[in-house]
Amino acid sequence: MSEILECVGVGKRFGGVHALSDVNFTVTPGEIVGIGGPNGAGKTTLLEVITGLTPGSSGRVEFAGTDITGRTPEQVFCLGLARVFQSAAVFPSLTVFENVLAGVVYKGASKPRTPLTYRESDLEATRAAIDLVGLSDKADEVVEHLPILDRKLVTIASAICGKPKMLLLDEPVGGLTPPEIELLKEVLFKLKAHGITMLIIEHVMQFMSAMVDRVMILDAGRIIFNGAFNDMIRDVEVMRVYLGEQAAARLRESFAG
Ligand SMILES: Nc1ncnc2c1ncn2[C@@H]1O[C@H](COP(=O)(O)OP(=O)(O)OP(=O)(O)O)[C@@H](O)[C@H]1O
Ligand SMILES: [Mg+2]
């Protein structure tokens, strides 16, 4: 099947900083692709450029057959490409239901609408998204009283309320305990079963190895590895980036011995 997402020669400069340089990759429908790499490698910037939050300096992004280069985040979201931010960006004083309903009502809206008006179909879409992430029992709870996992699930529910084809997630397991990571994994596999393609930035390698079909490693704004997770952990360049030159050399020597 043809690609759902394609980045061609994507670059991004912040003054003298080359945050992204000639980034080329594709994602196939249904895939879960992981993105790793050290701090400052350009992972978040890549999501910003794809979703139109930050315009790229060069290159092209195509999503589901449409050139989305230079589109606004609202336009990109309406085409079916949703994003979950690294911080659990919620309305803390609203309930789970109200948070997700706000996402449903405002999806694609370019300016605030007051008062908040909604239709029966918006309520149904809200219930469906909350159900999919397993928060139905907590729908009426105020979000600021919930643990971090539930707040993250609220942001995922808000992102999927528009039935996206693809979801971009930035370090979703940060701050979670191992049992919470297991629960989040189950939710993401459920989304995959619903046909949602995913691009997931993550530092936690155990989570990455369990979740992804393929992994890409960014270093200093360039993709230095794109392939299977098991090949990635044996890749000399990836080892150098993660462990440093000396440790990688020692590892190579131990393999050679
Ligand atoms: N708005 C900005 N203005 C100037 N420089 C920026 C901006 N956003 C990112 N950068 C720079 O671009 C580079 C890539 O940053 P980015 O946040 O994409 O890295 P990252 O891989 O997501 O890192 P982390 O793992 O710490 O989240 C860094 O050098 C960063 O300082
Ligand atoms: Mg980042």
Side-chain angles (χ1 to χ4, degrees):
M1 195 185 264
S2 63
E3 297 80 26
I4 187 165
L5 182 71
E6 182 172 19
C7 286
V8 183
V10 169
K12 176 68 193 177
R13 293 176 65 163
F14 293 107
V17 176
H18 291 258
L20 296 172
S21 302
D22 194 26
V23 172
N24 297 283
F25 70 91
T26 58
V27 178
T28 305
E31 257 192 315
I32 300 186
V33 177
I35 302 182
N39 295 119
K43 305 179 296 295
T44 299
T45 303
L46 180 60
L47 296 201
E48 312 269 294
V49 171
I50 292 172
T51 54
L53 209 57
T54 304
S57 309
S58 53
R60 195 178 84 239
V61 183
E62 282 202 17
F63 174 68
T66 303
D67 188 338
I68 59 167
T69 319
R71 302 272 183 120
T72 64
E74 293 82 9
Q75 290 171 332
V76 171
F77 183 71
C78 285
L79 285 168
L81 181 55
R83 168 163 183 203
V84 178
F85 287 85
Q86 188 170 359
S87 62
V90 289
F91 301 111
S93 61
L94 300 184
T95 66
V96 169
F97 194 89
E98 290 162 342
N99 263 276
V100 180
L101 180 61
V104 171
V105 171
Y106 283 115
K107 70 174 188 279
S110 54
K111 53 185 176 199
R113 256 194 273 160
T114 48
L116 190 70
T117 51
Y118 49 85
R119 296 180 286 265
E120 181 55 34
S121 59
D122 294 330
L123 298 176
E124 279 163 25
T126 303
R127 280 186 214 109
I130 290 174
D131 186 49
L132 198 50
V133 302
L135 279 181
S136 295
D137 292 348
K138 297 178 180 169
D140 296 325
E141 294 197 27
V142 174
V143 164
E144 69 187 335
H145 300 138
L146 294 176
I148 176 88
L149 171 64
D150 291 341
R151 275 180 274 152
K152 283 177 185 252
L153 292 174
V154 168
T155 63
I156 293 174
S158 298
I160 62 170
C161 67
K163 296 194 174 18
K165 299 182 182 80
M166 184 166 183
L167 198 55
L168 311 177
L169 300 110
D170 197 345
E171 300 194 32
V173 310
L176 299 184
T177 63
E180 288 173 330
I181 292 176
E182 289 306 308
L183 285 170
L184 185 71
K185 259 178 5 199
E186 279 175 30
V187 170
L188 295 181
F189 277 129
K190 221 156 112 184
L191 300 188
K192 180 179 165 121
H194 274 72
I196 300 179
T197 308
M198 278 174 262
L199 192 58
I200 307 178
I201 294 176
E202 195 46 73
H203 285 292
V204 179
M205 286 296 155
Q206 272 180 328
F207 172 81
M208 187 90 107
S209 71
M211 282 300 309
V212 303
D213 300 307
R214 178 161 60 92
V215 65
M216 299 191 297
I217 301 295
L218 273 177
D219 179 40
R222 292 180 183 277
I223 295 180
I224 60 160
F225 179 87
N226 185 353
F229 185 89
N230 285 341
D231 294 335
M232 183 270 287
I233 54 178
R234 293 188 192 90
D235 187 273
V236 171
E237 183 62 7
V238 174
M239 286 301 135
R240 186 190 63 74
V241 164
Y242 270 107
L243 304 175
E245 189 60 64
Q246 287 184 347
R250 280 200 298 276
L251 203 67
R252 278 199 297 276
E253 281 163 22
S254 68
F255 275 131

Short mmCIF file of all heavy atoms in Angstrom, two decimals, residues 14-15 17-20 37-46 48 54 86 170-171 201 203 218, ligand 1:
data_model
loop_
_atom_site.label_atom_id
_atom_site.label_comp_id
_atom_site.label_asym_id
_atom_site.label_seq_id
_atom_site.Cartn_x
_atom_site.Cartn_y
_atom_site.Cartn_z
N PHE A 14 16.80 27.17 13.12
CA PHE A 14 16.45 28.24 14.07
C PHE A 14 17.69 29.13 14.11
O PHE A 14 18.66 28.78 14.80
CB PHE A 14 16.17 27.68 15.46
CG PHE A 14 14.93 26.83 15.54
CD1 PHE A 14 15.02 25.45 15.67
CD2 PHE A 14 13.67 27.41 15.53
CE1 PHE A 14 13.88 24.67 15.77
CE2 PHE A 14 12.52 26.63 15.63
CZ PHE A 14 12.62 25.26 15.75
N GLY A 15 17.72 30.20 13.36
CA GLY A 15 18.95 31.01 13.26
C GLY A 15 20.07 30.13 12.73
O GLY A 15 19.95 29.52 11.68
N VAL A 17 21.08 27.37 14.16
CA VAL A 17 20.91 25.96 14.58
C VAL A 17 20.17 25.18 13.50
O VAL A 17 19.06 25.54 13.12
CB VAL A 17 20.11 25.87 15.91
CG1 VAL A 17 19.86 24.41 16.30
CG2 VAL A 17 20.83 26.60 17.02
N HIS A 18 20.81 24.13 13.00
CA HIS A 18 20.15 23.25 12.03
C HIS A 18 19.44 22.15 12.82
O HIS A 18 20.02 21.11 13.11
CB HIS A 18 21.18 22.63 11.08
CG HIS A 18 21.79 23.62 10.15
ND1 HIS A 18 21.40 23.74 8.83
CD2 HIS A 18 22.72 24.57 10.35
CE1 HIS A 18 22.08 24.72 8.27
NE2 HIS A 18 22.89 25.24 9.17
N ALA A 19 18.19 22.41 13.20
CA ALA A 19 17.46 21.43 14.02
C ALA A 19 17.11 20.19 13.21
O ALA A 19 17.06 19.08 13.75
CB ALA A 19 16.19 22.07 14.59
N LEU A 20 16.84 20.35 11.91
CA LEU A 20 16.57 19.23 11.01
C LEU A 20 17.30 19.47 9.69
O LEU A 20 17.28 20.59 9.18
CB LEU A 20 15.07 19.08 10.72
CG LEU A 20 14.15 18.75 11.89
CD1 LEU A 20 12.69 18.86 11.45
CD2 LEU A 20 14.42 17.36 12.45
N GLY A 37 16.58 9.03 19.79
CA GLY A 37 17.71 9.94 19.56
C GLY A 37 17.96 10.77 20.79
O GLY A 37 17.05 10.97 21.60
N PRO A 38 19.18 11.28 20.95
CA PRO A 38 19.52 12.03 22.15
C PRO A 38 18.77 13.35 22.28
O PRO A 38 18.13 13.80 21.32
CB PRO A 38 21.03 12.27 22.00
CG PRO A 38 21.32 12.07 20.56
CD PRO A 38 20.29 11.15 20.01
N ASN A 39 18.87 13.98 23.45
CA ASN A 39 18.23 15.28 23.67
C ASN A 39 18.75 16.28 22.64
O ASN A 39 19.94 16.30 22.34
CB ASN A 39 18.54 15.80 25.08
CG ASN A 39 17.94 14.92 26.16
OD1 ASN A 39 18.65 14.36 26.99
ND2 ASN A 39 16.64 14.76 26.13
N GLY A 40 17.82 17.06 22.10
CA GLY A 40 18.21 18.09 21.14
C GLY A 40 18.41 17.56 19.73
O GLY A 40 18.84 18.30 18.84
N ALA A 41 18.09 16.29 19.49
CA ALA A 41 18.32 15.68 18.17
C ALA A 41 17.39 16.23 17.09
O ALA A 41 17.66 16.10 15.90
CB ALA A 41 18.16 14.17 18.25
N GLY A 42 16.25 16.80 17.52
CA GLY A 42 15.30 17.35 16.54
C GLY A 42 13.99 16.58 16.46
O GLY A 42 13.17 16.83 15.57
N LYS A 43 13.76 15.67 17.41
CA LYS A 43 12.57 14.81 17.36
C LYS A 43 11.28 15.64 17.45
O LYS A 43 10.38 15.49 16.62
CB LYS A 43 12.63 13.77 18.51
CG LYS A 43 13.90 12.94 18.51
CD LYS A 43 13.95 11.94 19.65
CE LYS A 43 13.98 12.52 21.04
NZ LYS A 43 15.21 13.32 21.35
N THR A 44 11.20 16.48 18.48
CA THR A 44 9.98 17.29 18.65
C THR A 44 9.83 18.27 17.49
O THR A 44 8.72 18.47 16.97
CB THR A 44 10.02 18.04 19.99
OG1 THR A 44 10.09 17.06 21.05
CG2 THR A 44 8.78 18.90 20.19
N THR A 45 10.94 18.85 17.05
CA THR A 45 10.88 19.78 15.92
C THR A 45 10.29 19.10 14.69
O THR A 45 9.51 19.70 13.95
CB THR A 45 12.29 20.34 15.61
OG1 THR A 45 12.80 20.96 16.79
CG2 THR A 45 12.26 21.34 14.47
N LEU A 46 10.63 17.83 14.50
CA LEU A 46 10.08 17.09 13.35
C LEU A 46 8.55 17.03 13.44
O LEU A 46 7.86 17.27 12.44
CB LEU A 46 10.68 15.68 13.30
CG LEU A 46 10.22 14.78 12.15
CD1 LEU A 46 10.56 15.40 10.80
CD2 LEU A 46 10.86 13.39 12.26
N GLU A 48 6.67 19.15 15.03
CA GLU A 48 6.18 20.53 14.84
C GLU A 48 6.08 20.87 13.36
O GLU A 48 5.10 21.49 12.93
CB GLU A 48 7.12 21.55 15.49
CG GLU A 48 7.55 21.24 16.89
CD GLU A 48 6.64 21.83 17.94
OE1 GLU A 48 6.61 23.04 18.02
OE2 GLU A 48 5.99 21.05 18.66
N THR A 54 5.27 24.68 13.43
CA THR A 54 6.45 25.45 13.05
C THR A 54 6.68 25.21 11.56
O THR A 54 6.75 24.04 11.16
CB THR A 54 7.71 24.92 13.79
OG1 THR A 54 7.46 24.97 15.19
CG2 THR A 54 8.93 25.75 13.48
N GLN A 86 3.88 16.42 24.52
CA GLN A 86 4.68 15.76 25.56
C GLN A 86 4.08 16.02 26.95
O GLN A 86 3.98 15.12 27.76
CB GLN A 86 6.11 16.30 25.49
CG GLN A 86 7.08 15.55 26.38
CD GLN A 86 8.52 15.95 26.10
OE1 GLN A 86 8.78 16.78 25.23
NE2 GLN A 86 9.43 15.37 26.83
N ASP A 170 4.50 12.42 21.45
CA ASP A 170 5.83 12.86 21.89
C ASP A 170 6.08 12.36 23.32
O ASP A 170 5.47 12.84 24.27
CB ASP A 170 5.89 14.39 21.84
CG ASP A 170 7.32 14.91 21.86
OD1 ASP A 170 8.24 14.14 22.20
OD2 ASP A 170 7.51 16.10 21.56
N GLU A 171 6.95 11.38 23.45
CA GLU A 171 7.34 10.79 24.73
C GLU A 171 6.12 10.48 25.62
O GLU A 171 6.00 11.00 26.73
CB GLU A 171 8.32 11.71 25.45
CG GLU A 171 9.58 11.95 24.64
CD GLU A 171 10.72 12.57 25.43
OE1 GLU A 171 10.81 12.30 26.63
OE2 GLU A 171 11.51 13.30 24.83
N ILE A 201 7.60 9.28 19.43
CA ILE A 201 8.91 9.64 19.96
C ILE A 201 9.03 9.01 21.35
O ILE A 201 8.11 9.15 22.17
CB ILE A 201 9.04 11.18 20.12
CG1 ILE A 201 9.01 11.86 18.76
CG2 ILE A 201 10.32 11.52 20.87
CD1 ILE A 201 9.03 13.39 18.86
N HIS A 203 12.07 7.75 24.56
CA HIS A 203 13.41 7.43 25.06
C HIS A 203 13.42 6.05 25.73
O HIS A 203 14.47 5.43 25.83
CB HIS A 203 13.85 8.45 26.12
CG HIS A 203 14.26 9.78 25.55
ND1 HIS A 203 15.38 9.94 24.78
CD2 HIS A 203 13.68 11.00 25.65
CE1 HIS A 203 15.48 11.22 24.44
NE2 HIS A 203 14.46 11.87 24.94
N LEU A 218 17.26 9.77 15.25
CA LEU A 218 17.74 11.08 14.82
C LEU A 218 18.96 11.47 15.64
O LEU A 218 19.00 11.21 16.85
CB LEU A 218 16.65 12.14 15.05
CG LEU A 218 15.58 12.40 14.00
CD1 LEU A 218 14.60 13.44 14.54
CD2 LEU A 218 16.18 12.90 12.71
N1 LIG B 1 11.77 27.43 19.03
C1 LIG B 1 13.08 27.20 18.97
N2 LIG B 1 13.96 28.21 18.84
C2 LIG B 1 15.29 27.97 18.75
N3 LIG B 1 15.85 26.74 18.80
C3 LIG B 1 15.00 25.70 18.93
C4 LIG B 1 13.59 25.86 19.02
N4 LIG B 1 13.01 24.62 19.15
C5 LIG B 1 14.02 23.75 19.14
N5 LIG B 1 15.21 24.37 19.01
C6 LIG B 1 16.53 23.74 18.92
O1 LIG B 1 16.44 22.73 17.93
C7 LIG B 1 17.17 21.58 18.34
C8 LIG B 1 16.24 20.36 18.37
O2 LIG B 1 15.33 20.51 19.46
P1 LIG B 1 14.14 19.47 19.74
O3 LIG B 1 13.33 20.02 20.86
O4 LIG B 1 13.47 19.17 18.48
O5 LIG B 1 14.96 18.18 20.23
P2 LIG B 1 14.40 16.80 20.81
O6 LIG B 1 15.07 15.73 20.03
O7 LIG B 1 12.93 16.80 20.85
O8 LIG B 1 15.02 16.79 22.28
P3 LIG B 1 14.45 16.17 23.67
O9 LIG B 1 14.79 14.71 23.65
O10 LIG B 1 15.21 16.91 24.72
O11 LIG B 1 12.98 16.44 23.72
C9 LIG B 1 17.81 21.90 19.68
O12 LIG B 1 19.11 22.38 19.44
C10 LIG B 1 16.91 23.00 20.20
O13 LIG B 1 17.61 23.84 21.09
#
